[in-house]
Amino acid sequence: MLPPPSQHSGPRGGRRRPLRILTWHVHGNYLYYLGHVPHTFLLPVDAARAPGYSGRAGALPWGDNMVEVPVAQLRDTAFDCILFQSARHYLEDQYELLSPAQRRLPRIFLEHDTPQRHPTDTPHPVDDPETLLVHVTPFNALMWDNGRSPVRVVEHGVVVPPEVRWSGELPRGIAVVNNLLQRGRRLGLDVFLQARDQVALDLAGMDAESCGGLGEVPNPQLAAFLARYRFYFHPVRWTSLGLAAIEAMMVGLPVVGLATTELVTVVRNGREGYVDTDPARLVEAMRQLLADPAEAARLGAQARRSAQERFNIERFVADWLDVFAEVTS
């Protein structure tokens, strides 16, 4: 049985009370990292374990603070705030599942992605001065038309096993993209396939087999799997900053990718890897890394240092504690 919700909140920056936060399983790896925040997260589940309602699904080592709640019991469940992570849950499901009193609780919408309809002129589905809109990158916040909603940015935070380090003995590159065939040009299907014709590249992720790839690697095994590869390839034209790319950097892989979206602030040429808008120049950079393991090691070491500084889980947790304290104070 869950404890009753707290009846008061402490001052911002002071001792923070434990909260109970309703959210949905939209992005499994992100939800796992969010679970490092020392609050209780209530995950609605239905009988079919449908998308968004799968709870503690998959191979991730969920913490005890991730608690499943059947959708039929949501109206009778007490919580302190709502963290939306998809437009459908915000625009439709909350009205079907929650009581009017619950819908008046503090609200946050976590936006994982870039706008899809138009890069600069897409209004965000949340246009509410009473709902805090949190973006995962400054680039995303810049590109969305955020309307009247107050905006914060909480950049990613990731964890990899501390004993896993880049070895790079496999003279190949690796890309990790889920459902690449289905998502097509936006995620760089053509860029990946053209590059693979010229250099040794593997693809991992959901349904990677449909592109001649290796298939999905369970998250707990991903860091050690990546560590053998010479470099990480990020062929994506238009999406948010991928968690797998950050995890690869944490392990010590240099990154080669398209100079689009937030990646241009993460990877500097000759420091953490190479970025460019010309795929031909990226192929040349990949060939150099395959031919020069020492250079790959140098770039990868800097990539690891940069990722540890910017995307460490302690900073991520502190940022989210501030957000939750802000909306509930």
Side-chain angles (χ1 to χ4, degrees), residues 16 33-38 154-155 157 312-324:
R16 295 179 171 94
Y33 292 130
L34 188 65
H36 288 70
V37 179
V154 176
E155 294 198 299
N312 65 82
I313 197 69
E314 293 79 15
R315 191 234 80 234
F316 177 79
V317 167
D319 286 354
W320 269 112
L321 285 173
D322 285 344
V323 167
F324 289 128

Side-chain angles (χ1 to χ4, degrees), residues 12-250:
R12 180 177 171 86
R15 185 178 63 86
R16 295 179 171 94
R17 65 185 176 99
L19 299 174
R20 295 194 302 172
I21 300 156
L22 175 66
T23 194
W24 284 258
H25 184 145
V26 172
H27 188 312
N29 290 353
Y30 191 99
L31 186 63
Y32 167 67
Y33 292 130
L34 188 65
H36 288 70
V37 179
H39 292 313
T40 296
F41 295 89
L42 307 180
L43 309 177
V45 294
D46 61 16
R49 299 277 171 162
Y53 292 89
S54 58
R56 295 164 55 99
L60 290 159
W62 302 108
D64 293 339
N65 63 330
M66 311 300 283
V67 179
E68 295 184 348
V69 180
V71 292
Q73 299 178 17
L74 282 177
R75 285 176 181 258
D76 300 317
T77 300
F79 45 88
D80 297 291
C81 73
I82 307 171
L83 175 62
F84 298 100
Q85 300 190 55
S86 81
R88 179 171 67 88
H89 300 149
Y90 177 79
L91 297 173
E92 301 174 16
D93 293 16
Q94 66 164 318
Y95 299 101
E96 299 175 4
L97 301 177
L98 304 180
S99 70
Q102 288 171 323
R103 296 198 301 271
R104 289 192 295 270
L105 289 169
R107 299 176 302 278
I108 304 167
F109 190 104
L110 171 60
E111 178 54 66
H112 290 278
D113 215 338
T114 47
Q116 301 303 301
R117 288 186 298 172
H118 189 282
T120 62
D121 296 345
T122 301
H124 197 275
V126 177
D127 181 16
D128 179 7
E130 300 300 320
T131 300
L132 181 64
L133 181 53
V134 175
H135 290 283
V136 298
T137 71
F139 183 88
N140 292 14
L142 172 70
M143 302 309 288
W144 277 102
D145 177 355
N146 298 301
R148 299 172 298 162
S149 302
V151 173
R152 302 288 183 274
V153 174
V154 176
E155 294 198 299
H156 290 307
V158 305
V159 177
V160 298
E163 72 277 6
V164 176
R165 298 291 292 272
W166 177 88
S167 58
E169 76 272 12
L170 195 60
R172 304 180 66 85
I174 180 70
V176 181
V177 185
N178 289 329
N179 302 305
L180 180 57
L181 183 64
Q182 173 186 340
R183 297 162 82 184
R185 282 177 54 84
R186 185 169 68 88
L187 274 291
L189 172 63
D190 58 318
V191 175
F192 174 80
L193 294 178
Q194 291 167 12
R196 190 174 63 182
D197 285 341
Q198 302 173 72
V199 294
L201 282 174
D202 286 335
L203 174 68
M206 298 177 185
D207 194 39
E209 299 93 333
S210 64
C211 296
L214 304 174
E216 185 176 8
V217 179
N219 182 268
Q221 303 169 22
L222 183 60
F225 179 84
L226 294 174
R228 301 174 302 136
Y229 283 87
R230 188 67 51 82
F231 61 86
Y232 184 90
F233 183 41
H234 189 70
V236 179
R237 280 185 173 88
W238 183 255
T239 191
S240 195
L241 182 62
L243 284 172
I246 300 172
E247 291 162 345
M249 292 175 67
M250 280 283 191

